[in-house]
C-alpha cells in the first residue's frame, strides 16, 4: 500500500532548477556544448534566484490540481540546491539559500506530497569517471582523464548526500534517481547499478524513509517505472506483471529553462495526455523549468493556470481514478472511479457518441463541466435496416445525445453513472 497516495494523486509537478537555468539553453548544456568547469563557473558565480518562491510553486501545483511536486536537488552538472556538507558546490555557497529546505516547508504547508529528484550522474565531482555522456568525453587527452578518478569515492559522496537529504528534511514521500546507462558507446563504458552500489543505496532509502516511493532509474526494480516524454499505449507491464508507472513530460522538450525554445505544448494536448495516462493506470509528472531568477516563466504559468481551470471542473475524472475495463469509442478514452465512468472526448462528434457494450449498464449521463443531463438511448438492432437514423450501432450500444456546440473547456468529459454498483 506504499503507493496509495501516488495512485490517487495521478498528477504531479516536476521542477528542474539549477545554475543551468541561468545558461537558459537546456539542463544538458554543459554536455551538449562540452563546457569546461571553468567556463561553467560564471553561472554559479552569478546565480541569483531572487524570484524563486517555493510557496508560489506549491500554490501553483495545488491550483493545477496536482497532489505532489518533485524538485531537482542536484542535476547532472553536480550543483546542489541544499546545504550539503560534502561539497561547496551548493546554493548555500552560491546565494546563501537552502532551496530544498524552503521547498519542503512550502509543500507541506499546502498539504502536498514531497518529492525529490537526485542525479546519480555528476559532471562536477572529480572522482566521477568520464564516460560517453560526460562533457569531457571529446577532450584531446580524454583517454587519460580517468587516471586517478575513483568511483568508490564518488559512491561514498553519492550515498552521503542521499543520506543528508533523507535525514535533514523530515518526511520525504518520493525519490526520483536519474539515471543508469550500462551500454558501451563511442569507446566509453556506461554506468550500471554497480557503479552506484544501487542495492545498498535502495536499502538505505528503505531504512531512512520506509514509506518513500523510489523510481526504477537506479537500474534495479523499485516502486514505479518512468516512461519519459512519450505516452504508453496500454497499461505498463513487465513480464505480464502490472507496473506502477508515471510518465514525465515537459512543456517544451527541455526540462531546464530554455528561453528560446518555442516548442510549447498546448494546454489541450496536456490534459489529453493526463487523461490518457490515467486511462492506462498511470500518473503524469508535468515539468516546469523556472527561469534564471527562479520565477515560473509566464508562458508556463499560463499553461498551468488553464490546466487548473480544467481540473477544477474535472478533478473527479482524474484524482482517484484509473483504468476502466470497457472499450472506449473512437473519440476518446475512459477513466473510472468507483461507480463513475468518465469519457474524455479528444474530439467532439456531431450529435451522438456511441458507447459499445454499455447499453444496459448506465443509469445517468451528464457533462461533467456543468452537470447537465445528457439523453441516452440503447440501439435497437431491429431498426438497423434503413440507415436513415443513428440506429446502425451494434446491439447493446449506448448512444449519448450531445449538443452541437462543444462545451467551452479544454477537453469535455461525460460522466456515466454505472448501475448497480
Ligand atoms: C533525463 C535527463 C534529464 C531529466 C530527466 C527527467 O534522463 O537526463 O535531464 O532530468 O530525464 O526525467
Amino acid at each position: 500500500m506504499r503507493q496509495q497516495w501516488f495512485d490517487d494523486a495521478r498528477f504531479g509537478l516536476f521542477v528542474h532548477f539549477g545554475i543551468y537555468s541561468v545558461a537558459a539553453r537546456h539542463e544538458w548544456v554543459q554536455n551538449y556544448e562540452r563546457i569546461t568547469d571553468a567556463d561553467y563557473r560564471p553561472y554559479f558565480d552569478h546565480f541569483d534566484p531572487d524570484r524563486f518562491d517555493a510557496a508560489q510553486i506549491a500554490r501553483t501545483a495545488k491550483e493545477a490540481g496536482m497532489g505532489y511536486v518533485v524538485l531537482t536537488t542536484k542535476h547532472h552538472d553536480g550543483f546542489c540546491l541544499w546545504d550539503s556538507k560534502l561539497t561547496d558546490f551548493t546554493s548555500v555557497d552560491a546565494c546563501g539559500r537552502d532551496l530544498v529546505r524552503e521547498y519542503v516547508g512550502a509543500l507541506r504547508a499546502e498539504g502536498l506530497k514531497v518529492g525529490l529528484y537526485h542525479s546519480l550522474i555528476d559532471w562536477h565531482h572529480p572522482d566521477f569517471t568520464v564516460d560517453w555522456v560526460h562533457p569531457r568525453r571529446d577532450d584531446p587527452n580524454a583517454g587519460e582523464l580517468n587516471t586517478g578518478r575513483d568511483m568508490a569515492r564518488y559512491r561514498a559522496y553519492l550515498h552521503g548526500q542521499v543520506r543528508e537529504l533523507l535525514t535533514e528534511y523530515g518526511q520525504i514521500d518520493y525519490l526520483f534517481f536519474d539515471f543508469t546507462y550500462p551500454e558501451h558507446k563511442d569507446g566509453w563504458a556506461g554506468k550500471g547499478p554497480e557503479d552506484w552500489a544501487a542495492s545498498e543505496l535502495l536499502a538505505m532509502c528503505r531504512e531512512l524513509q520506509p514509506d518513500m516511493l523510489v523510481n526504477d532509474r537506479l537500474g534495479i526494480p523499485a516502486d514505479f517505472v518512468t516512461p519519459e516524454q512519450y505516452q504508453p499505449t496500454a497499461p505498463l507491464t513487465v513480464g505480464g506483471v502490472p507496473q506502477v508507472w508515471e510518465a514525465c513530460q515537459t512543456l517544451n522538450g527541455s526540462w531546464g529553462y530554455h528561453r528560446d525554445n518555442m516548442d510549447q505544448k498546448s494546454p489541450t494536448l496536456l490534459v489529453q495526455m493526463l487523461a490518457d495516462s490515467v486511462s492506462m493506470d498511470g500518473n503524469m509528472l508535468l515539468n516546469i523549468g523556472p527561469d534564471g531568477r527562479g520565477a515560473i516563466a509566464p508562458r508556463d504559468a499560463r499553461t498551468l493556470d488553464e490546466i487548473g481551470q480544467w481540473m477544477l471542473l474535472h478533478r473527479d475524472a482524474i484524482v482517484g481514478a484509473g483504468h476502466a475495463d470497457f472499450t472506449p469509442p473512437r473519440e476518446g478514452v475512459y477513466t473510472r472511479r468507483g461507480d463513475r465512468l468518465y469519457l474524455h472526448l479528444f474530439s467532439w462528434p456531431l450529435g451522438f457518441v456511441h458507447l459499445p457494450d454499455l447499453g444496459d449498464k448506465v443509469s445517468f449521463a451528464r457533462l461533467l463541466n456543468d452537470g447537465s443531463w445528457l439523453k441516452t438511448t440503447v440501439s435497437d438492432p431491429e431498426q438497423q435496416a434503413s440507415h436513415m437514423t443513428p440506429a446502425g450501432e451494434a446491439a447493446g450500444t449506448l448512444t449519448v445525445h450531445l449538443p452541437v456546440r462543444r462545451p467551452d473547456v479544454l477537453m469535455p468529459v461525460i460522466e456515466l453513472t454505472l448501475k448497480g454498483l
Side-chain angles (χ1 to χ4, degrees), residues 14 16 27-28 75-76 117 176 178-179 217 228 248 255:
F14 215 168
H16 274 68
E27 78 286 353
W28 274 61
H75 206 266
H76 308 333
Y117 162 109
F176 188 118
D178 196 33
F179 65 84
R217 293 195 187 177
E228 180 172 328
C248 46
W255 302 91

